[in-house]
Amino acid sequence: MLSLGIDPGTATIGYGLVKEHADGSQQAIAYGVITTPPTQPMWERLKTIYDGITELVHLYQPDRAGVEELFFAKNVTTAITVAQGRGVILLALTTCKLPIAEYKPNQVKQSIAGYGAAAKPQMQEMVRILLGLDEIPKPDDAADALAIAITDLRHAVYNEYE
């Protein structure tokens, strides 16, 4: 099974594709970021995000997708902007007919590090170890997206019946 994990945003959107083999091992197939220039109008940035997600789905043909839910404590303006990007991501995935699961940040941390309040460096190192990578994936958004994909694969059996 192949999962596309997405760390939503509007300036930088992390993506990671993780394949789970029959023996339960997992492999990073691809990871990176989709970026949009802050000088562009928002509607153009949202179109870039939509096109980027659609292109990833067509290129890699994942079986499902996991998307991180938003968590903001302070900045409402940032939350609204990121929510716009997240909405476009969900639309692109739905248009591509992918099953989607959504995960809270603490669910991803619990799944990867065994602790719902794990620090970012701990999470990144666990992603590296779990996927057998030589180095921690960069940038941070891509490492986060791989963590979301791993979490999605671990929860896929449960999500299929929701």
Side-chain angles (χ1 to χ4, degrees), residues 1-3 16-21 24-31 130-133 146 149-150 153:
M1 183 179 309
L2 181 62
S3 177
L17 288 120
V18 176
K19 181 176 182 75
E20 186 167 85
H21 300 283
S25 65
Q26 296 178 336
Q27 173 188 8
I29 301 300
Y31 57 88
L130 290 169
L131 296 176
L133 301 172
L146 287 168
I150 293 168
L153 289 168

Side-chain angles (χ1 to χ4, degrees), residues 9 23 37 49-50 54 57 61 63 71 83 87 93 131 135-136 152:
D23 65 1
I49 294 167
Y50 182 90
T54 302
V57 171
Q61 299 290 305
D63 299 299
F71 174 77
L93 295 171
L131 296 176
E135 298 178 357
I136 290 173
D152 185 53

Side-chain angles (χ1 to χ4, degrees), residues 4-17 30-36 48-49 51-53 55-56 60 89 137-146:
L4 169 59
I6 300 177
D7 183 26
T10 48
T12 307
I13 299 87
Y15 68 86
L17 288 120
Y31 57 88
V33 293
I34 299 167
T35 58
T36 65
T48 299
I49 294 167
D51 291 344
I53 296 296
E55 183 179 329
L56 286 170
Y60 292 102
I89 290 164
K138 297 290 181 196
D140 292 353
D141 304 277
D144 293 347
L146 287 168

Side-chain angles (χ1 to χ4, degrees), residues 2 8 22 30 39 55 60 75 77 79 81 89 111 117-118 129 159:
L2 181 62
T39 55
E55 183 179 329
Y60 292 102
N75 191 334
T77 303
T81 302
I89 290 164
S111 177
I129 291 168
N159 293 335

Side-chain angles (χ1 to χ4, degrees), residues 14-141:
Y15 68 86
L17 288 120
V18 176
K19 181 176 182 75
E20 186 167 85
H21 300 283
D23 65 1
S25 65
Q26 296 178 336
Q27 173 188 8
I29 301 300
Y31 57 88
V33 293
I34 299 167
T35 58
T36 65
T39 55
Q40 275 187 333
M42 184 54 71
W43 58 88
E44 289 180 14
R45 295 172 78 183
L46 295 174
K47 175 76 165 91
T48 299
I49 294 167
Y50 182 90
D51 291 344
I53 296 296
T54 302
E55 183 179 329
L56 286 170
V57 171
H58 288 141
L59 180 63
Y60 292 102
Q61 299 290 305
D63 299 299
R64 53 182 303 108
V67 181
E68 189 171 66
E69 291 184 8
L70 298 181
F71 174 77
F72 288 92
K74 297 179 183 167
N75 191 334
V76 174
T77 303
T78 302
I80 291 170
T81 302
V82 174
Q84 289 176 323
R86 189 172 179 282
V88 166
I89 290 164
L90 294 173
L91 175 63
L93 295 171
T94 300
T95 301
C96 292
K97 300 186 180 352
L98 276 184
I100 303 165
E102 299 174 81
Y103 302 98
K104 292 175 176 48
N106 64 336
Q107 286 178 290
V108 176
K109 291 175 181 183
Q110 180 72 38
S111 177
I112 301 301
Y115 177 54
K120 189 171 279 289
Q122 181 182 7
M123 288 291 295
Q124 292 169 338
E125 179 62 12
M126 285 304 300
V127 166
R128 185 194 72 73
I129 291 168
L130 290 169
L131 296 176
L133 301 172
D134 292 333
E135 298 178 357
I136 290 173
K138 297 290 181 196
D140 292 353
D141 304 277

